[in-house]
């Protein structure tokens, strides 16, 4: 059934492109609508630790089959809907690849833009940047959606100042992230409490989008710094509990209690070179003294507070003449300060652009430098993904 839907979608897009004699757009008076999509997949190969003999992850895999509709009316209203047919059933298990990618309407005729619906949250440079415009096949562990949600339903207010050099965001959301449509039958959790998020970023000497690759070969150095914070209190009333599956693989994403995150990021770009740095600190206050996140420590030891988070850095180079992008990144993260150990990973990536990022071949190599043996024991040491993405 999914294959049939994908085929019909592609056929529809091809028909629209032919009839309108444009790539993906239909314009009628003061209204416009665009159709686009992404098909991406790779071959994954893992190097296992000695003694491991299960090679199930050495496989060909589709990453995305996305179809997108977005439109504008009188330059006042805009709307967008993106669905990934392949990942419709994995919205809980893989927050980086949800089934519903976005579904929102926005009014932008005021000094403050108002967006209502489901979309990326205004938080974290590594989350906001499009993965399809990088040579990587996945984000870092810190920003892929296990420490904090990357998407949610709610309202976002945003405004730009100083010729779009300064961008300010504030919003309120369900706090359930990518599980908002499926957890608890579509209702929120018993606490009914929202999550609040705020972000500001400043660029100099001109505006700087959330791009990681300097494919425009900036003639002057561009710098952007950003800071963001988010807070929610999901303390469950009475004997109620959180919906199943909302906590994430580390148990940090949604907790029974209070959670705050403070983050900082910086980016720079110049003549094809670019770099990003980001740090996020989680402060967790589980409501129950026997919460698994306390790992059986006493209140004298844990002080009713748990810290997690980490930092990451990335450098990139776009060699326009050869249509090539080279990148390397390092990440260091800790899922719980009450348990000794942290994790460190190194990645390198290369992309060959057949037609920009619309049609490109990407190679992504992972290396586990240090694993957290107590909290995240792994069965592999290295991994490589080689694949192809096509955007229509």
């Amino acid at each position: 059934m999914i294959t049939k839907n994908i085929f019909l979608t592609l056929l529809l897009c091809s028909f629209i492109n032919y009839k309108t004699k444009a790539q993906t757009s239909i314009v009628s008076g003061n209204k416009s609508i665009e159709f686009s999509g992404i098909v991406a997949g790779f071959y994954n190969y893992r190097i296992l630790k000695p003694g491991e003999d299960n090679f199930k992850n050495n496989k060909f895999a589709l990453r995305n089959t996305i179809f997108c509709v977005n439109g504008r009316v009188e330059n006042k209203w805009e709307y967008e809907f993106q669905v990934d047919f392949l990942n419709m059933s994995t919205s809980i298990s893989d927050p980086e690849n949800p089934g519903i990618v976005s579904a929102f309407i926005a009014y932008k005729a005021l000094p403050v833009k108002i967006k209502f619906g489901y979309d990326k949250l205004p938080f974290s440079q590594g989350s906001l940047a499009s993965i399809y415009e990088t040579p990587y096949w996945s984000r870092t562990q810190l920003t892929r959606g296990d420490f904090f949600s990357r998407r949610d339903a709610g309202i976002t207010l945003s405004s730009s100042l100083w010729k779009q050099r300064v961008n300010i965001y504030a919003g309120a959301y369900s706090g359930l992230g990518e599980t908002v449509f499926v957890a608890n039958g579509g209702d929120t959790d018993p606490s009914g409490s929202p999550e609040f998020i705020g972000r500001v970023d400043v660029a100099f000497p001109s505006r700087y989008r959330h791009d990681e690759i300097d494919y425009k070969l900036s003639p002057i150095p561009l710098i952007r710094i950003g800071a963001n914070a988010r807070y929610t209190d999901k303390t469950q009333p009475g004997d109620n509990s959180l919906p199943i599956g909302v906590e994430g693989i580390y148990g940090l994403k949604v907790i029974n209690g209070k959670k705050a995150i403070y983050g900082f990021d910086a980016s720079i770009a110049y003549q094809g070179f670019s770099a990003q740095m980001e740090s996020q600190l989680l402060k967790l206050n589980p409501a129950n003294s026997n919460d698994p996140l306390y790992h059986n420590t006493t209140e004298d030891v844990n002080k009713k507070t748990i810290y997690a988070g980490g930092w990451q850095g990335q450098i990139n180079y776009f060699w326009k003449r050869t249509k090539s992008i080279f990148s390397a990144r390092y990440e260091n993260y800790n899922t719980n300060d009450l348990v000794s150990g942290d994790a460190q990973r190194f990645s390198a990536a290369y992309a060959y652009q057949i037609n920009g990022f619309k049609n490109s071949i990407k190679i992504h190599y992972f290396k586990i430098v240090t694993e957290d043996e107590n909290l995240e024991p792994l069965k592999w040491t290295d991994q490589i993904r080689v694949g192809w993405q096509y955007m229509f």
Side-chain angles (χ1 to χ4, degrees), residues 80-336:
E80 180 175 289
F81 175 70
Q82 289 190 61
V83 59
D84 191 327
F85 297 110
L86 179 69
N87 297 311
M88 283 297 292
S89 62
T90 61
S91 55
I92 289 182
S93 60
D94 189 355
E96 192 176 20
N97 294 291
I100 304 297
V101 182
S102 65
F104 67 83
I105 56 175
Y107 185 69
K108 55 181 184 176
L110 300 173
V112 176
K113 178 180 177 180
I114 304 171
K115 181 168 69 174
F116 178 79
Y118 176 83
D119 196 24
K120 274 188 181 181
L121 297 170
F123 188 87
S124 167
Q125 152 69 30
S127 175
L128 288 168
S130 171
I131 194 66
Y132 309 108
E133 296 185 359
T134 77
Y136 295 95
W137 281 109
S138 64
R139 303 176 194 276
T140 63
Q141 291 298 104
L142 184 64
T143 61
R144 70 180 306 273
D146 296 315
F147 283 80
F148 49 82
S149 57
R150 300 185 53 246
R151 292 176 169 85
D152 204 346
I155 185 169
T156 303
L157 307 179
S158 61
S159 183
S160 295
L161 308 171
W162 196 22
K163 296 183 179 180
Q164 298 184 324
R165 294 183 180 93
V166 178
N167 298 287
I168 303 170
Y169 310 85
Y173 311 91
S174 79
L176 296 183
E178 293 81 3
T179 67
V180 62
F181 299 127
V182 292
N184 213 26
D187 292 334
T188 189
D189 67 286
S191 77
S193 298
E195 181 174 28
F196 301 98
I197 297 179
R199 176 177 171 84
V200 59
D201 54 57
V202 181
F204 185 82
S206 63
R207 73 171 183 169
Y208 189 166
R209 300 182 185 275
H210 292 106
D211 299 322
E212 294 186 349
I213 308 302
D214 185 26
Y215 54 86
K216 294 184 179 180
L217 304 179
S218 304
I220 57 176
L222 299 179
I223 300 172
R224 185 189 66 246
I225 57 174
N228 41 227
R230 56 200 293 174
Y231 173 81
T232 185
D233 183 355
K234 290 291 187 184
T235 301
Q236 300 299 291
D239 296 328
N240 291 286
S241 58
L242 288 167
I244 296 174
V246 302
E247 67 280 355
I249 63 172
Y250 301 131
L252 305 174
K253 192 169 181 178
V254 182
I255 70 166
N256 179 7
K258 299 177 181 179
K259 176 181 177 181
I261 312 179
Y262 310 96
F264 168 83
D265 53 73
S267 301
I268 186 170
Y270 179 57
Q271 293 189 349
F273 289 94
S274 59
Q276 295 82 37
M277 188 281 290
E278 178 172 341
S279 177
Q280 303 290 347
L281 174 66
L282 285 68
K283 181 182 179 182
L284 313 168
N285 301 108
N288 298 328
S289 59
N290 60 348
D291 192 291
L293 289 174
Y294 286 128
H295 285 274
N296 297 317
T297 59
T298 64
E299 187 176 325
D300 291 338
V301 174
N302 60 53
K303 310 297 182 183
K304 294 185 177 181
T305 303
I306 298 162
Y307 291 98
W311 68 275
Q312 61 192 48
Q314 180 175 313
I315 56 174
N316 322 281
Y317 178 63
F318 174 44
W319 190 359
K320 184 176 181 180
R321 188 176 66 180
T322 62
K323 301 181 179 181
S324 295
I325 297 170
F326 303 87
S327 183
R329 71 187 183 197
Y330 169 83
E331 52 185 305
N332 185 309
Y333 62 93
N334 188 317
T335 59
N336 194 312

Side-chain angles (χ1 to χ4, degrees), residues 1-143:
M1 187 64 181
I2 292 177
T3 303
K4 180 180 178 181
N5 289 338
I6 294 171
F7 174 77
L8 292 175
T9 298
L10 293 173
L11 185 63
L12 173 63
C13 289
S14 299
F15 175 76
I16 291 171
N17 293 345
Y18 173 76
K19 295 297 288 184
T20 60
K21 296 184 180 181
Q23 282 192 338
T24 55
S25 301
I26 297 176
V27 179
S28 176
N30 58 8
K31 301 177 183 178
S32 66
I33 185 170
E34 294 184 351
F35 300 86
S36 59
I38 301 169
V39 178
F42 53 77
Y43 178 73
N44 189 84
Y45 180 79
R46 278 186 177 178
I47 299 176
L48 302 182
K49 292 180 178 178
E52 298 292 340
D53 58 3
N54 189 337
F55 297 92
K56 65 179 181 178
N57 287 291
N58 293 355
K59 60 184 180 181
F60 289 96
L62 276 176
R63 187 188 191 276
N64 303 104
T65 54
I66 294 176
F67 177 61
C68 175
V69 179
N70 60 66
R72 292 172 177 79
V73 180
E74 296 182 341
N75 204 31
K76 294 181 180 179
W77 297 90
E78 66 179 13
Y79 56 88
E80 180 175 289
F81 175 70
Q82 289 190 61
V83 59
D84 191 327
F85 297 110
L86 179 69
N87 297 311
M88 283 297 292
S89 62
T90 61
S91 55
I92 289 182
S93 60
D94 189 355
E96 192 176 20
N97 294 291
I100 304 297
V101 182
S102 65
F104 67 83
I105 56 175
Y107 185 69
K108 55 181 184 176
L110 300 173
V112 176
K113 178 180 177 180
I114 304 171
K115 181 168 69 174
F116 178 79
Y118 176 83
D119 196 24
K120 274 188 181 181
L121 297 170
F123 188 87
S124 167
Q125 152 69 30
S127 175
L128 288 168
S130 171
I131 194 66
Y132 309 108
E133 296 185 359
T134 77
Y136 295 95
W137 281 109
S138 64
R139 303 176 194 276
T140 63
Q141 291 298 104
L142 184 64
T143 61

Side-chain angles (χ1 to χ4, degrees), residues 356-381:
F357 281 114
K358 292 183 178 180
N359 188 1
S360 61
I361 296 171
K362 306 200 297 187
I363 304 173
H364 181 180
Y365 168 73
F366 303 74
K367 173 68 177 179
I368 305 299
V369 179
T370 303
E371 72 175 45
D372 189 338
E373 297 180 354
N374 296 311
L375 295 179
E376 192 183 14
L378 301 172
K379 298 180 179 181
W380 57 282
T381 59

